[in-house]
Amino acid sequence: MYPSATLRAQLRDALLPASPAAPLQPPADADGRPAAVLIPLIDDVEPSLVFTKRADDLSRHPGEISFPGGLRHPEDSDLLVTALRETEEELGLLRSDVEVLGALEPFLTYTTGFWVTPFVGAVEADYRFVPSPAEIAEVIEVPLAELDRIEREVEWRRDEWTWTGFVYEVEGHTIWGATGRMLHQFLEIVRKEPE
């Protein structure tokens, strides 16, 4: 892994632009509902990512590990606004305290049918998150080097259901599904040698 300044520059070069002038949207013929998440990158000597454990009584994905985010609201001018608004609601992370570096490729989730755009945002070290107890049970910060080390690809089968993807076992939690997919895509960018 690379020092923080180098990593920020690498991500700016490799990620899709995320400026309001060129907002990322789902395809016009997409059936899924637009949604967005923020991948919070803690800018420290050893960079790390922030995940949330969703509250157990939520209607969608209760208790799962995810990045902060959610569905686009009608008043959101674009999906970047959605990601930043949702992150502020869930973690108390002020929009002004996030340096947006870019976005990963949007994708359609299998179970919920959402078109999710993952944005990457740098946050200063030692940021004091204030999670919403109605939505977030726990905030989990994991070093990039640790995520890289523990990544594994699995195939899970149950009855007629088969899922293949990337899994990360962290502090007694399992990161998988759409979050594992985004995390793998992000790590693939980080693992590339800067040109």
Side-chain angles (χ1 to χ4, degrees), residues 76-160:
D76 295 341
S77 58
D78 58 46
L79 288 169
L80 176 56
V81 169
T82 300
L84 295 173
R85 175 186 52 75
E86 287 282 344
T87 300
E88 188 168 347
E89 290 172 6
E90 293 177 19
L91 288 178
L93 174 57
L94 300 177
R95 301 167 203 205
S96 58
D97 292 338
V98 178
E99 179 189 349
V100 178
L101 303 174
L104 299 174
E105 289 285 342
F107 67 95
L108 182 65
T109 60
Y110 300 122
T111 55
T112 53
F114 297 154
W115 273 101
V116 180
T117 300
F119 294 91
V120 178
V123 180
E124 293 303 316
D126 301 321
Y127 194 89
R128 209 173 155 89
F129 297 105
V130 183
S132 164
E135 295 187 73
I136 305 301
E138 186 178 348
V139 178
I140 304 162
E141 187 177 325
V142 188
L144 287 181
E146 174 72 3
L147 292 165
D148 181 54
R149 185 184 67 76
I150 64 174
E151 179 181 75
R152 63 189 174 95
E153 190 170 14
V154 300
E155 181 176 271
W156 288 338
R157 293 177 188 215
R158 188 173 59 207
D159 301 323
E160 296 177 15

Side-chain angles (χ1 to χ4, degrees), residues 12-34:
R12 276 192 209 95
D13 289 344
L15 294 168
L16 298 171
S19 70
L24 295 160
Q25 302 296 341
D29 60 349
D31 291 331
R33 296 172 64 191

Side-chain angles (χ1 to χ4, degrees), residues 1 3 20 53 59 64 68 81 83 99 109 171 175 188:
M1 298 293 158
K53 179 178 188 276
S59 61
E64 289 189 8
V81 169
E99 179 189 349
T109 60
E171 300 176 19
I175 300 170
E188 286 287 273

